[in-house]
Amino acid sequence: MEYRKVGKWGLKISEVSLGSWLTFGNQLDLNSTRQVVRYAVENGINFIDTAEAYANGIAEAMLGMVLKEYRREDLVISTKVFWGGDGPNQKGLSRKHLLEGTWNSLKRLQLDYVDILYCHRPDPEVPMEEVVYTMDQILKSGLAFYWGTSEWSAEEIEQACKIAEKMNAMPPVVEQPQYNLIFKKRVEEEYAPIYEKYGIGTTIWSPLASGVLSGKYLEGIPEGSRLDRWPWLRKTMEERGIFQEETLQKLKRIKEIADGLGVTMAQLSIAWCLKNPHVSSVILGVSSLDQLKENIKAVEVKNLITDEIYSELNSLF
Ligand code: NDP
């Protein structure tokens, strides 16, 4: 396992990490969450990602129970605030919700601080000054060590960095965007000007496009799979053309390349994400221990991707 710096900043995180969306508190109960976290940590993962919204707080609460068996300094824990509830002040990035959301997350996690606190989405209703000032204050209070953004535009990140500089406040250090073989434009093109300029790192989500890049949907939708369980997500994928013949052909080509290397399609797809030097960590989502055992091997598979294979994979989507 390699440990990468988060952009230009001092924090080091494992190149693959463990996420908790739709899994902790849903497909994984407390016991299986404990097993998955244990395997991850024993095999070099030091970074675990969650959010106040995941399973309505249950993902954080479960993680909190599981974390008791580890030394806090050995782990990098992140959570995200934005969707805290239905009330007018429980959602978004107002000073009130940022502070209350952070306190509530820490209570569920049974932690004094998180290492990274993300603003889970941009909030056009709140002035950027309010967000930057509050995040800086959260850092100064010791509730979080670094702050980041998730699915913010390059323009919004740049605005936050400029305001932070003006206020002598801590800027966002990391963005959490979607990045995989299918959806790559934002990470590769939109953010290109801000990586060096502000030293931003990325912790990327859905490396398998919710499992599509494992090849599990090539012959239809298996019962109990993510797209079977969450119809809204299946609809989103359908709208993005995932089940169109052209896309299926490209996915089959990825499978052929993986077969040729003697690895799985999931391992190859995750390894491809790791080839991008702007990726600080690839967040793995797993609904079973077996998936984690398979996917974590991507750290070795990245060394099998030759320039020729890399450029073919890049040209597919
Ligand atoms: P993936 O795209 O890797 O999807 C993970 C899902 O794919 C699993 O839960 C499983 O679903 C399936 N899968 C994984 N490995 C395999 C395999 N080897 N074979 C077959 N199926 C497999 O990642 P996620 O979408 O889960 O994202 C990763 C993490 O990123 C999240 O847990 C979360 O922490 C973070 N995230 C952040 C977001 C943000 O807005 N900031 C948004 C989304 C995620 P199943 O078995 O149920 O089919």
Side-chain angles (χ1 to χ4, degrees):
M1 184 71 66
E2 283 173 25
Y3 298 88
R4 298 186 179 182
K5 264 157 65 89
V6 176
K8 72 173 182 186
W9 304 90
L11 185 66
K12 287 182 188 146
I13 54 178
S14 47
E15 58 186 326
V16 296
S17 42
L18 183 63
S20 54
W21 181 52
L22 303 180
T23 52
F24 290 18
N26 271 308
Q27 286 157 292
L28 298 176
D29 62 13
L30 182 60
N31 198 32
S32 33
T33 297
R34 197 183 297 282
Q35 281 180 349
V36 162
V37 171
R38 203 173 281 162
Y39 187 87
V41 175
E42 281 171 4
N43 286 278
I45 288 182
N46 75 346
F47 172 39
I48 304 175
D49 178 70
T50 189
E52 64 172 347
Y54 295 171
N56 294 319
I58 295 172
E60 285 181 330
M62 270 194 181
L63 181 59
M65 289 183 236
V66 164
L67 287 181
K68 293 199 167 299
E69 60 187 87
Y70 302 95
R71 203 165 61 161
R72 183 64 186 91
E73 304 91 288
D74 293 336
L75 298 177
V76 175
I77 305 295
S78 70
T79 194
K80 309 191 256 323
V81 280
F82 190 97
W83 290 286
D86 296 329
N89 283 308
Q90 286 178 299
K91 195 183 153 198
L93 302 181
S94 69
R95 180 173 173 74
K96 181 167 170 66
H97 183 59
L98 283 177
L99 278 158
E100 289 172 345
T102 305
W103 287 325
N104 290 337
S105 284
L106 289 174
K107 263 184 232 148
R108 284 188 293 265
L109 285 163
Q110 304 183 54
L111 295 177
D112 298 327
Y113 62 90
V114 285
D115 297 273
I116 308 175
L117 182 68
Y118 293 92
C119 296
H120 208 155
R121 286 294 178 272
D123 187 345
E125 289 187 30
V126 179
M128 193 63 88
E129 286 81 358
E130 182 174 339
V131 177
V132 175
Y133 187 82
T134 308
M135 293 309 280
D136 184 59
Q137 198 185 23
I138 287 173
L139 266 50
K140 288 200 173 102
S141 317
L143 304 178
F145 291 165
Y146 297 89
W147 76 278
T149 58
S150 180
E151 291 296 338
W152 285 30
S153 68
E155 201 183 327
E156 286 157 342
I157 297 170
E158 179 147 39
Q159 195 194 352
C161 290
K162 283 184 176 158
I163 288 172
E165 202 179 343
K166 219 165 75 188
M167 290 175 148
N168 210 12
M170 185 74 175
V173 304
V174 60
E175 156 64 33
Q176 189 171 122
Q178 175 169 203
Y179 185 56
N180 53 55
L181 272 158
I182 306 173
F183 306 110
K184 52 194 182 176
K185 203 169 162 156
R186 187 161 237 186
V187 165
E188 294 186 357
E189 294 175 28
E190 184 184 332
Y191 295 154
I194 60 168
Y195 292 124
E196 309 305 333
K197 199 167 174 190
Y198 298 106
I200 300 277
T202 65
T203 58
I204 63 106
W205 59 267
S206 279
L208 298 179
S210 275
V212 169
L213 285 159
S214 73
K216 73 193 301 172
Y217 299 108
L218 285 172
E219 312 293 339
I221 298 184
E223 212 182 308
S225 62
R226 183 180 284 189
L227 298 193
D228 178 47
R229 282 170 182 265
W230 283 279
W232 65 267
L233 194 54
R234 180 169 69 224
K235 193 160 165 270
T236 308
M237 290 295 178
E238 278 164 0
E239 283 164 4
R240 291 178 176 175
I242 293 299
F243 300 110
Q244 283 168 12
E245 193 49 37
E246 196 193 337
T247 310
L248 291 176
Q249 288 310 322
K250 291 178 183 179
L251 292 171
K252 283 181 183 156
R253 181 62 195 138
I254 299 170
K255 180 153 185 356
E256 275 172 15
I257 298 173
D259 289 347
L261 291 172
V263 303
T264 68
M265 192 171 154
Q267 289 167 338
L268 178 63
S269 302
I270 293 164
W272 173 87
C273 299
L274 286 166
K275 296 280 283 183
N276 185 329
H278 294 299
V279 170
S280 317
S281 186
V282 173
I283 311 178
L284 306 178
V286 294
S287 67
S288 68
L289 183 57
D290 282 345
Q291 287 178 359
L292 178 61
K293 287 181 178 173
E294 177 185 335
N295 298 357
I296 201 170
K297 292 208 185 91
V299 301
E300 291 153 31
V301 173
K302 74 172 188 290
N303 301 321
L304 305 178
I305 302 181
T306 59
D307 290 348
E308 199 186 337
I309 292 174
Y310 192 52
S311 58
E312 181 178 356
L313 290 172
N314 287 338
S315 68
L316 284 172
F317 289 94

